[in-house]
């Protein structure tokens, strides 16, 4: 359980008054003295979405009959709209469009080369247009004869070829699928948000069924455009999920039914966005399908700028928590233009020089610096500095790095850079010319997994803190229209752990909405009313550690919905944690010198033997011993916990030990009788004569009988003693 949650009057926030506190300067703290939170932004809790996020970087291909036109029809350049929509923009008749399709030999299409190019670039997936708005199917389909096999000179199924080639290289395959279809309704290229006639839905279902049945596992289904109803969107998602449950779906299935957000074309978000999202960028933003017009500057002088643009976008997206799909429009013959291929090669060479800066790296919680970007990969940080920002002697900084730094080098080389620490802040001095004209990378080797003390962290002062204002950090939705999470950070500067209580207030909250409050690995779900009226208790925070309080929706209608909270304040109070001593154990070997006392190791508990503090471990035992337990500084003993154990060690062979868990021993020694006298229960002494040399009473009975009886009694007594020792153990 996360904590006890009480909504009683005594726990209402109105009874707590805390002074406002400013966040602690990170340069006042030192590495090794504070434990930060993990610096890496994690992937989704949903496994199939997290698997998709791990792909990170992919190749997007827009290829179809439109590629044959190259943005020109009957000698006239298309000046408005994307070239893949040339049929509508240039009002091309069906007959003319099919005549061009008939000339499509695709003699240079090479699915193996395409997938190998992706692999060489460090890409993990390839996504291709199976059907664009023109309705022309680029696979072997039975749903329409308006397809690549029946209408082109190529006469083959390129999707099947691509699926096979990518599978051989462990490259995932994704499908673009246009919801609108100009063979089914009138084209409207200005917005491409046509309502979807219900009569189209069987065709969409049949085509999705073919695509998700005949080509193996599909990592991503990228729907595009149209204006389906919420019910139509939900049905399309259902069809995909039924056929391939692990396939993730983009937000352009519309009506908040997808698994990840894509936003607009060619949008590269510069800020951190939490939750799955993808940025798509075309090598020429005005052309997704191939074009050879003024919209695509393929001059030699543009190769370097285009390469820099692509890598800058890649770095920006990955460091911002997203996926990056880079689009190339193959020519009508299936080949990549030499210019486009050169840009791709440059990206691949840069990825080879910096193999871990992107692949396997995560976005971080560090603030976006003014000099570049940051990713984390295990125990390494990567600092990306564009050529324009690299200047010899310039000092770049990173605030709140909780780790020790072992080395700072130019990535891919052994060249070190001067670096110094100012508390938790790292300062690196740039030297020489930019080491990489595409994007320079600095590798910071750490003493462990990257950890951070955010600049908004508030320290506990006299057992209390208040996180408010700008120190409550909003995490931007992938939609960019609000915060999906609110984070607050608190530092325990004590040398001992504490138990925290949280009291949350808000200027705006929906009473019946369910929110989730998370601290460390614990979480609790509260209604809006409970959120601002209840206390959340029993939250452990280790000595010198930073803890994060996160507030989000418990079960949002859509994962990217922005929170409806405003004016949030998190009041934090700390108490010493209670501890329960573990039992002390005694090992008693009668008549030997092996008697021992074993004191357990319990954090927050101090043990004393006869009043002297002792370390955890095994100590010699002798005589009557009393062990007590007390709380260490910064702790309190749990109510009702046992705190004293006593034991009387035996001194003669066969004598039984006495254990007492508390208080004085109860077995008092008695005066030994003399001359064979014993004492009966009433106190009357009796005298029994014994047979010489036996110590047994002389009753006239056979001595052998008594000897056997005595032996049996001794065995029974030994067995009882063993049971007693086992029980005490």
């Amino acid at each position: 359980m996360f904590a006890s949650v009480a909504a009683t009057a005594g726990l209402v926030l109105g009874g707590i008054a805390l002074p406002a506190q400013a966040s602690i300067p990170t340069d006042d703290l030192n590495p090794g003295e504070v434990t930060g939170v993990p610096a890496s932004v994690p992937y989704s809790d949903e496994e199939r979405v997290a698997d998709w996020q791990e792909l990170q970087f992919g190749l997007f291909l827009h290829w179809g009959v439109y590629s044959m036109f190259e943005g020109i029809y009957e000698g006239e350049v298309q000046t408005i709209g994307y070239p893949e929509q040339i049929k509508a923009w240039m009002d091309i008749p069906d007959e003319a469009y099919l005549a061009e399709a008939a000339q499509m030999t695709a003699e240079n299409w090479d699915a193996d080369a395409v997938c190998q190019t992706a692999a060489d670039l460090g890409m993990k997936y390839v996504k291709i247009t199976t059907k664009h708005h023109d309705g022309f199917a680029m696979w072997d389909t039975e749903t329409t004869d308006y397809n690549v096999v029946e209408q082109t000179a190529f006469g083959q199924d390129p999707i099947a070829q691509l699926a096979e080639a990518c599978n051989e290289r462990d490259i995932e395959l994704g499908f673009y699928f246009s919801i609108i279809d100009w063979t089914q309704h009138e084209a409207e290229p200005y917005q491409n948000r046509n309502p979807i006639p219900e009569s189209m839905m069987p065709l969409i279902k049949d085509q999705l069924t073919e695509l998700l049945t005949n080509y193996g596992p599909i990592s991503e289904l990228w729907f595009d455009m149209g204006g389906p109803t919420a019910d139509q969107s939900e049905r399309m998602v259902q069809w995909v999920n039924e056929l391939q449950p692990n396939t993730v779906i983009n937000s352009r299935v519309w009506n908040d039914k997808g698994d990840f957000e894509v936003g607009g074309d060619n949008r590269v978000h510069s800020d951190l966005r939490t939750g799955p999202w993808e940025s798509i960028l075309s090598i020429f933003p005005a052309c997704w399908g191939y074009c050879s017009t003024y919209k695509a500057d393929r001059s030699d002088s543009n190769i370097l700028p285009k390469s820099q643009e692509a890598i800058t976008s890649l770095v920006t997206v990955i460091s911002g928590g997203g996926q990056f799909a880079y689009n190339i429009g193959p020519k009508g013959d299936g080949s990549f233009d030499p210019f486009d291929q050169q840009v791709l090669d440059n990206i691949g060479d840069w990825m080879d020089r910096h193999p871990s800066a992107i692949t396997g790296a995560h976005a971080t919680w560090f603030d976006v610096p003014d000099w570049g970007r940051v990713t984390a990969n295990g125990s390494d940080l990567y600092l990306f500095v564009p050529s324009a920002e690299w200047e010899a002697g310039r000092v770049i900084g990173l605030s709140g790095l909780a780790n020790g730094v072992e080395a700072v080098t130019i990535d891919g080389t052994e060249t070190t850079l001067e670096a110094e620490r100012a508390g938790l802040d790292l300062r690196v001095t740039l030297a020489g010319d930019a080491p990489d004209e595409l994007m320079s990378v600095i590798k910071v080797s750490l003493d462990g997994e990257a950890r951070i003390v955010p600049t908004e962290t508030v320290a506990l002062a006299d057992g209390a803190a208040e996180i408010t204002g700008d120190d409550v950090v909003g995490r931007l939705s992938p939609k960019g229209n609000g915060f999906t999470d609110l984070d607050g950070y608190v530092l325990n500067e004590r040398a001992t752990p504490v138990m925290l209580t949280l009291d949350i207030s808000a200027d705006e909250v929906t009473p019946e909405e369910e929110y989730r409050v998370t601290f460390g690995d614990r979480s609790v779900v509260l209604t809006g009313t409970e959120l601002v009226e209840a206390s959340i208790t029993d939250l452990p925070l280790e000595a010198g550690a930073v803890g994060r309080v996160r507030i989000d929706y418990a079960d949002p209608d859509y994962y990217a919905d922005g929170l409806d909270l405003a004016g949030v304040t998190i009041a934090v109070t700390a108490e010493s944690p209670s501890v329960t001593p573990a039992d002390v154990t005694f090992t008693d070997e009668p008549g030997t010198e092996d008697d021992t006392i074993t004191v357990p190791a319990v954090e927050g508990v101090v043990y004393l033997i006869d009043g002297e503090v002792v370390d955890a471990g095994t100590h010699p035992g002798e005589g009557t011993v009393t062990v007590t337990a007390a709380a260490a500084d910064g702790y309190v003993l749990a109510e009702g916990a046992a705190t004293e154990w006593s034991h009387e060690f035996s001194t003669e062979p066969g004598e039984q030990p006495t254990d007492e868990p508390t208080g004085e021993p109860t077995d008092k020694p008695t005066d030994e009788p003399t001359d064979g006298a014993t004492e009966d229960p009433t106190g009357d002494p009796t005298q029994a004569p014994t047979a010489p040399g036996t110590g047994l009473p002389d009753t006239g009975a056979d001595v052998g009988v008594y000897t056997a009886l005595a032996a049996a009694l001794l065995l029974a007594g030994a067995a009882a003693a063993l049971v007693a020792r086992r029980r005490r153990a």
Side-chain angles (χ1 to χ4, degrees):
M1 296 295 292
F2 172 77
S4 60
V5 178
T8 61
L11 296 177
V12 174
L13 281 173
I16 296 177
L18 293 172
Q21 291 173 264
S23 52
I24 186 169
T26 53
D27 57 3
D28 285 349
L29 304 172
N30 294 311
E33 296 177 357
V34 59
T35 302
V37 295
S40 295
V41 177
Y43 292 145
S44 170
D45 292 334
E46 190 174 354
E47 184 177 0
R48 69 189 185 94
V49 177
D51 289 344
W52 172 79
Q53 288 177 294
E54 288 180 356
L55 300 178
Q56 294 184 299
F57 184 26
L59 181 63
F60 203 174
L61 300 176
H62 277 65
W63 189 46
V65 176
Y66 45 80
S67 306
M68 297 287 290
F69 291 91
E70 301 184 3
I72 303 169
Y73 176 58
E74 293 186 339
E76 183 179 350
V77 173
Q78 177 188 348
T79 59
I80 184 172
Y82 292 142
E84 62 274 15
Q85 300 177 30
I86 192 172
K87 186 178 189 300
W89 286 114
M90 303 293 283
D91 198 21
I92 301 175
D94 291 345
E95 297 78 9
Y97 203 69
L98 288 174
E100 196 68 29
Q103 302 301 313
M104 188 175 182
T105 61
E107 67 272 16
N108 291 319
W109 165 255
D110 187 338
D112 285 310
V114 169
C115 293
Q116 188 59 53
T117 293
D120 292 344
L121 266 67
M123 293 173 166
K124 301 299 183 184
Y125 65 105
V126 172
K127 179 164 49 189
I128 189 169
T129 49
T130 59
K131 184 185 74 169
H132 212 280
H133 306 337
D134 59 3
F136 193 89
M138 290 295 290
W139 76 98
D140 187 7
T141 177
E142 295 182 359
T143 63
T144 176
D145 62 1
Y146 197 61
N147 68 70
V148 66
V149 173
E150 297 191 34
Q151 299 294 340
T152 72
F154 179 48
Q156 301 174 50
D157 187 342
I159 305 302
Q161 296 167 353
L162 194 66
E164 181 179 358
C166 287
N167 182 60
E168 292 175 354
R169 292 164 177 79
D170 290 327
I171 299 292
E172 298 289 335
L173 184 61
F175 287 158
Y176 168 107
F177 182 85
S178 173
I179 298 174
I180 60 177
D181 185 330
W182 294 337
T183 69
Q184 302 296 309
H185 54 73
E186 184 178 356
E188 193 285 294
Y190 288 92
Q191 296 295 324
N192 288 313
R193 293 301 301 269
N194 307 67
I196 304 303
E198 187 59 32
S199 59
M200 275 185 61
M201 295 302 286
L203 173 66
I204 292 174
K205 181 179 182 181
D206 290 344
Q207 292 188 334
L208 289 175
T209 299
E210 288 182 346
L211 291 170
L212 295 171
T213 302
N214 299 334
Y215 300 100
I218 304 304
S219 66
E220 176 182 324
L221 207 301
W222 212 94
F223 288 98
D224 196 20
M225 306 318 294
T229 65
D231 176 69
Q232 289 173 332
S233 296
E234 189 169 349
R235 275 183 281 160
M236 286 187 281
V237 168
Q238 180 182 349
W239 297 334
V240 174
N241 289 340
E242 288 175 350
L243 293 165
Q244 293 211 28
N246 292 326
T247 300
V248 295
I249 299 169
N250 73 329
S251 58
R252 290 193 189 176
V253 74
W254 307 114
N255 296 298
D256 290 344
K257 302 299 182 182
D259 298 308
F260 67 94
E261 280 289 323
V262 293
D265 298 345
N266 299 301
R267 293 291 301 275
V268 177
H269 303 307
S270 60
D271 39 34
L272 174 67
R273 301 190 174 199
T274 54
W277 60 277
E278 182 184 56
S279 178
I280 56 171
L281 174 68
S282 184
I283 186 171
F284 297 107
C287 305
W288 292 84
Y290 183 74
C291 64
S292 59
T293 68
Y294 69 93
K295 296 181 181 180
D297 178 7
R298 289 189 170 88
S299 62
D300 289 345
S301 62
N302 201 28
I303 291 177
L304 177 59
K306 274 297 169 187
S307 302
Q308 290 173 329
E309 176 189 71
I311 291 170
T312 299
S313 298
L314 168 65
V315 168
T316 301
V317 171
I318 299 302
S319 65
Q323 307 285 100
F324 185 60
Y326 192 58
N327 178 76
I328 297 292
K331 293 182 176 182
D333 66 6
S335 66
F336 290 167
D337 188 284
F339 178 100
D340 301 5
Q341 185 64 58
Q342 183 59 60
V343 171
L344 293 175
D345 291 344
N346 287 346
I347 297 171
D349 291 343
W350 182 86
M351 291 285 286
D352 285 343
R353 293 194 293 272
H354 310 289
S356 299
I358 295 294
T359 303
H362 282 249
T364 73
W365 299 115
F366 290 104
D367 293 335
V368 176
D370 59 2
W371 45 260
R373 309 289 297 196
V374 183
T375 63
N377 198 339
S379 60
D380 297 317
L381 288 178
Y382 293 91
L383 316 183
F384 300 87
V385 184
S387 299
E389 298 292 336
W390 190 286
E391 181 181 348
R394 179 182 181 183
V395 177
I396 63 174
L398 194 66
S399 297
L401 176 61
N403 299 75
V405 174
E406 297 182 344
V408 179
T409 59
I410 295 174
D411 189 42
T413 76
E414 296 182 358
T415 302
T416 60
L417 293 174
E418 179 183 344
E420 62 179 5
R421 300 300 296 272
L424 298 185
D425 297 349
L426 173 67
R427 297 170 181 169
V428 178
T429 302
L430 306 181
D433 296 331
D436 196 313
E437 65 177 355
L438 297 180
M439 174 72 74
S440 297
V441 185
I442 298 170
K443 179 180 178 180
V444 181
S445 301
L446 307 174
D447 59 0
E449 179 188 358
R451 304 187 77 86
I452 180 177
V453 177
T455 55
E456 299 86 3
T457 301
V458 173
L460 288 166
D462 298 325
E466 187 176 76
I467 308 171
T468 188
D470 292 340
D471 291 334
V472 178
V473 186
R475 302 302 183 186
L476 197 61
S477 161
K479 283 186 172 183
N481 62 348
F483 301 133
T484 57
D485 311 273
L486 297 177
D487 290 341
Y489 297 90
V490 60
L491 169 63
N492 174 22
E493 292 186 297
R494 294 186 187 179
T496 55
V498 293
M499 299 298 288
L500 301 183
T501 295
L502 306 179
D503 290 280
I504 299 169
S505 63
D507 295 338
E508 296 179 20
V509 64
T510 302
E512 65 276 8
E513 182 66 66
E514 289 193 332
Y515 303 88
R516 176 174 53 203
V517 180
T518 302
F519 187 86
D521 59 356
R522 305 185 182 191
S523 63
V524 64
V525 175
L526 306 169
T527 65
T529 298
E530 292 170 335
L531 183 71
V532 297
E533 292 184 355
S535 290
I536 305 170
T537 66
D538 300 330
L539 307 177
L541 183 59
E542 294 298 319
V546 173
R548 182 183 74 177
V549 182
R550 167 161 285 190
I551 305 171
D552 60 5
Y553 284 130
D555 186 21
D557 293 332
Y558 184 54
Y559 84 97
D561 286 344
L563 284 169
D564 56 359
L565 296 171
V568 170
T569 295
I570 306 170
V572 185
T573 52
E575 296 180 352
S576 298
S578 64
V579 290
T580 301
D583 287 338
V584 175
T585 56
F586 302 94
T587 301
D588 196 337
E589 301 291 343
T592 73
E593 297 180 355
D594 296 330
D595 297 340
T596 60
I597 307 163
T598 301
V599 175
V602 180
E603 182 179 359
V605 177
V606 176
Y607 288 88
L608 303 89
I609 297 179
D610 292 334
E612 297 291 330
V613 175
V614 295
D615 294 331
T618 301
H619 303 270
E622 182 179 3
T624 301
V625 176
T626 298
V627 182
T628 57
D633 288 343
Y635 297 85
V636 294
L637 291 176
E639 184 177 354
T643 59
E644 185 174 308
W645 302 262
S646 294
H647 180 82
E648 181 183 354
F649 288 96
S650 62
T651 57
E652 298 294 337
E655 185 175 334
Q656 300 306 312
T658 301
D659 289 343
E660 291 297 333
T662 59
E664 295 292 329
T666 58
D667 291 340
K668 303 294 184 181
T670 59
D671 293 335
E672 294 291 335
T674 58
D675 298 329
T678 63
E679 187 170 291
D680 69 5
T682 64
D684 293 332
T686 60
Q687 185 70 33
T690 60
T694 66
L696 297 174
D698 187 3
T699 64
D702 183 77
V703 173
V705 173
Y706 283 100
T707 301
L709 178 60
L713 291 171
L714 284 172
L715 287 173
L722 178 60
V723 171
R725 282 197 296 271
R726 284 178 176 169
R727 286 175 178 169
R728 284 192 296 275

